[in-house]
Amino acid sequence: MSDSPSSGEPASPQAAGLETFRYDDGLPRMFLMATLVWGVVGMLVGLIVAIQLVAPSLGGLHEWLTFGRLRPLHTNAVIFAFAGNAFFCGAYYSMQRLLKTRMYSDALGKFHFWGWQAIIVSAAVTLPLGFTQGKEYAELEWPIDIAITLVWVVFALNVFGTIARRRERHIYVAIWFYIASIVTVAVLHIFNNLSIPAGALKSYPIYAGVQDAFMQWWYGHNAVAFFLTTPFLGLMYYFLPKAANRPVFSYKLSILHFWSLVFIYIWAGPHHLHYTALPEWASTLGMLFSVMLWMPSWGGMINGLLTLRGAWNKVASDPVLKFFVVGVTFYGMSTFEGPMLSVKTVNALSHYTDWTIAHVHGGALGWVGFITFGMAYWLIPRLFQTRLASPKLAEAHFWMGTIGILFYIVPIYVAGLTQGLMWRAFDATGRLAYPDFVETVNALMPMYWVRVVGGVLYLTGAILCLGNAVVTWARRPERYEEPVYEAPALGPYEPSSAESPWGSKRGDGGAFFDLRRFAALRWHRRWEALPLTFTAWVVVAVVVASLFEIIPTFLIRSNVPTIASVKPYRPLELLGRDIYIAEGCYNCHSQMVRPLIAETERYGEYSKPGEFVYDHPFQWGSRRIGPDLHRVGGKYPHLWHLQHMEEPSKVTKGSIMPPYPHLLRDPIDWSAAQKRVEVMAMLGVPYGDTVRHAEEDARAQAADIARALGEQIHPNDPAKQAAAAERYKDKQITALIAYLQRLGTDIKAEQAQKK
Amino acid sequence: MSLSDLISHMDLSVFPEVALVIFAGVFVAVSARTLRADRAAFEAAAGLPIDDPAPAREEEPRE
């Protein structure tokens, strides 16, 4: 395998006008193996957290292994490591062939590969250690975010450089999907991760409360769109025709599919925030565009399935096509369900329940997973240049995976509906039928066990795939063949060229065509080698939609009415909040009481936008495995929290929360207080004088809480009270209690004043 | 008057409708352009993934 671009692009042409070149299959080989290895790792962590929910004692083995820390590791691993590497593998393989050129730079490709794997390893180390930004799928701290940006830029350079060097005029639709993914993910990643460092691995986002929530779900939703959907649609549009040996059913439909998705997806993010403190118009806008997404998504699904016209007999015998057919079908199912869940009334029931988890896994296991495995089985013999070690095991993987998905999603749908209905059930006297939250969790245990079986099946299938790939790799030829290909270089761009689908119609009026005449300028001709116009249109579509939603959300004062009694967190409470974030409490607890009668009955006053103005980052959460915590402040004595954190099941019978004994043992990092308050002040939080003596203030509050704790532990023994106060005054639990007791209480002061 | 004041005074309840109109306009434009495009050239484009040229030198590895 040659490393230098010059040897990859043989200089001497075979014949006049023809250029010769070799493809670089080393890079797709590396990304393929990384996909399969990280896939097994990410799914294994998923299985571990699923088991922790049915066997909570396993959650308390070590503080690094609690659900709140491992769940982000699972999501980040399967999204960025498994799906990410799969996208890179397929993109590097298909782009070279579709553009009839080697990738622009072997060195950039290698940097991309090793840089991305280093990012994954750093995520796998920092997340269990509790370094997190506390925003779902954007947990990685600021130095890793910068590394991601750098590696992404390298990837983009390599892709655009390759397109500039192409020997095929038309850029096939799969590459459109890759380009859209690259530019949009860059925009999303940068803007959602804007934060101010408050330490080597600690930062606070520049946004707070409603605005942070809005940015996060603009990011979160579109990460699903542009990291898990468009890249895999690109792969589908290349590898499905390849495996079926049929051109795509309708190229026109694929273009409509592309532009509709790019234009609609960005608008849909607010559907993650229905009935929250988000303004009504934004919520409606998100719902409307989500429902519209159904149309192009099904256009794409139909286009994929009909590509198999006349090739259905192959599906019975070819595991690759089997994976693709089931994968595309799951794409159809998820993209029907997504719009349905975005309808407010459905969302009122489904949100915060396992329904979301089932929906996500239908898409992740069925669509992303099966397109990846189908692509892997197609690529393995071609990349390793020998027969697949065991087609029978590939077949077994398909059935295990399919049954595994069903065993996963069916019980979790049932769990979601069960819990959602239990939360809103009232008895004949008008009281909550299940007032203890834990009842609604314990009812799900049989379903959670079935999910474990589904997870085991799916993971086993993935291990079989990895094994099959490793054995095939072991049987590779001594030296990979690198055939030399020939193609004519692209001449200068001619606007009247019939090579372009739009070429023959050009010049017959209409705004697009007038623009083209303008484009005939010489400077522009050089640009035509780069698909800049195309990329610019994608950026316009994405940015217009984003600004349409973001600008009003940030600028309208009435969106976040100020509440005079809402004050910044005291320094100790801020430190406690950081512990809450580090432990990943948001993975199981929301902080958002929706204005629904079942919620106000259970938790108290619904949450107001103005209550979150100092929340950098917001912690509204997206799933309630435990109860909402926004009104937990003042609900229980300090001692309750201390005992509950030490061993939750002793305080709440049947609780599946892991114990946090280390919080009672580990000291507070007092030296961090000053810096963190300073950064908060820099972000506009009105700390006033406190900014000059943050540590002093934190220690004073801790002493008060520790004293109260001592009195509650030993009500009649002043000597022991003092000892307990001394013991807890510098422990992390005290900071966490300070935060939890503060939660949602400011508004009560205002209500008391009014009375 | 700041930008915040200006936008705060706007009635944004029409935003979903405005967005819908923008979308519909773009969709119609893209559809019209796509449907008017040349069929033969599209067929050639659709064939790109499966029309791999044979290597000029060295046999392609057998599957």
Side-chain angles (χ1 to χ4, degrees), chain A residues 11 19 42 180 235 321 343 366 407 453 470 477 553 585 646 743:
Chain A
E19 292 179 346
L235 299 180
L321 286 179
V343 174
F407 268 66
V453 175
V470 169
T553 312
C585 303
E646 188 177 23
L743 268 177

Side-chain angles (χ1 to χ4, degrees), chain A residues 629-706:
Chain A
L629 296 181
H630 192 214
R631 299 286 176 220
V632 81
K635 192 173 174 183
Y636 305 106
H638 296 343
L639 180 59
W640 186 94
H641 285 294
L642 182 127
Q643 290 173 335
H644 182 251
M645 295 308 293
E646 188 177 23
E647 183 53 73
S649 60
K650 276 191 187 156
V651 178
T652 309
K653 197 171 172 300
S655 169
I656 60 169
M657 180 167 141
Y660 288 87
H662 65 278
L663 297 180
L664 281 67
R665 195 181 61 223
D666 295 346
I668 296 170
D669 179 9
W670 296 110
S671 62
Q674 187 61 36
K675 178 74 182 166
R676 292 187 184 181
V677 170
E678 278 171 15
V679 172
M680 280 289 170
M682 192 202 288
L683 288 168
V685 179
Y687 267 108
D689 253 7
T690 313
V691 81
R692 279 196 286 277
H693 47 83
E695 186 178 333
E696 198 183 315
D697 186 280
R699 283 183 188 271
Q701 193 187 6
D704 289 345
I705 290 175

Side-chain angles (χ1 to χ4, degrees), chain A residues 212-281:
Chain A
D212 193 41
F214 194 90
M215 289 304 285
Q216 160 61 21
W217 286 112
W218 169 78
Y219 163 88
H221 175 75
N222 292 304
V224 171
F226 290 91
F227 210 94
L228 300 176
T229 308
T230 51
F232 289 84
L233 286 170
L235 299 180
M236 176 190 89
Y237 276 117
Y238 180 78
F239 287 98
L240 183 58
K242 211 70 183 145
N245 200 26
R246 296 273 187 291
V248 64
F249 168 67
S250 165
Y251 200 73
K252 287 183 179 179
L253 186 54
S254 70
I255 290 173
L256 292 181
H257 182 199
F258 174 81
W259 282 110
S260 311
L261 277 195
V262 166
F263 200 83
I264 302 177
Y265 241 122
I266 286 283
W267 302 79
H271 70 215
H272 289 257
L273 300 167
H274 284 329
Y275 298 109
T276 66
L278 195 73
E280 179 74 15
W281 66 267

Side-chain angles (χ1 to χ4, degrees), chain A residues 3 7 37 68 129 140 149 341 354 401 455-456 460 523 568 581 651-652 734:
Chain A
D3 283 347
S7 60
V37 170
L129 290 176
L140 301 177
T149 312
L341 288 174
D354 276 319
V456 167
T460 309
W523 57 268
I581 292 168
V651 178
T652 309
T734 306

Side-chain angles (χ1 to χ4, degrees), chain A residues 424-681:
Chain A
R424 57 161 64 178
F426 286 91
D427 64 16
T429 63
R431 293 196 199 100
L432 288 171
Y434 306 98
D436 287 336
F437 188 91
V438 72
E439 288 179 273
T440 73
V441 176
N442 291 338
L444 312 180
M445 286 306 129
M447 281 78 96
Y448 280 6
W449 274 112
V450 182
R451 163 167 64 186
V452 169
V453 175
V456 167
L457 281 170
Y458 197 87
L459 173 65
T460 309
I463 293 171
L464 289 183
C465 184
L466 174 63
N468 220 338
V470 169
V471 175
T472 311
W473 168 79
R475 296 178 185 169
R476 70 194 182 282
E478 215 165 282
R479 197 178 147 275
Y480 288 121
E481 286 183 37
E482 289 182 70
V484 176
Y485 293 89
E486 284 178 351
L490 276 192
Y493 182 71
E494 290 298 332
S496 63
S497 163
E499 284 174 52
S500 157
W502 292 284
S504 56
K505 302 271 179 161
R506 199 159 286 127
D508 57 355
F512 279 100
F513 308 117
D514 290 337
L515 277 178
R516 289 287 179 175
R517 276 197 209 110
F518 173 72
L521 291 171
R522 233 177 118 195
W523 57 268
H524 198 277
R525 278 215 192 137
R526 258 180 291 149
W527 281 16
E528 282 285 347
L530 291 166
L532 273 184
T533 8
F534 171 83
T535 307
W537 280 115
V538 172
V539 173
V540 166
V542 167
V543 170
V544 164
S546 302
L547 293 182
F548 218 84
E549 290 180 341
I550 291 169
I551 290 178
T553 312
F554 277 72
L555 290 181
I556 300 172
R557 300 223 168 89
S558 63
N559 278 348
V560 187
T562 336
I563 301 171
S565 60
V566 173
K567 298 281 188 294
Y569 296 108
R570 286 182 66 181
L572 183 71
E573 292 158 3
L574 186 65
L575 291 172
R577 189 168 203 272
D578 289 340
I579 294 168
Y580 184 97
I581 292 168
E583 294 298 346
C585 303
Y586 66 88
N587 286 288
C588 295
H589 296 279
S590 58
Q591 289 187 17
M592 173 50 62
V593 182
R594 294 178 293 175
L596 306 171
I597 187 74
E599 302 225 339
T600 51
E601 278 295 299
R602 187 180 295 277
Y603 303 116
E605 182 74 17
Y606 68 89
S607 305
K608 317 283 189 298
E611 291 183 84
F612 303 100
V613 288
Y614 304 126
D615 281 14
H616 299 265
F618 83 112
Q619 290 288 285
W620 294 358
S622 65
R623 168 81 183 97
R624 288 179 185 147
I625 300 175
D628 187 277
L629 296 181
H630 192 214
R631 299 286 176 220
V632 81
K635 192 173 174 183
Y636 305 106
H638 296 343
L639 180 59
W640 186 94
H641 285 294
L642 182 127
Q643 290 173 335
H644 182 251
M645 295 308 293
E646 188 177 23
E647 183 53 73
S649 60
K650 276 191 187 156
V651 178
T652 309
K653 197 171 172 300
S655 169
I656 60 169
M657 180 167 141
Y660 288 87
H662 65 278
L663 297 180
L664 281 67
R665 195 181 61 223
D666 295 346
I668 296 170
D669 179 9
W670 296 110
S671 62
Q674 187 61 36
K675 178 74 182 166
R676 292 187 184 181
V677 170
E678 278 171 15
V679 172
M680 280 289 170

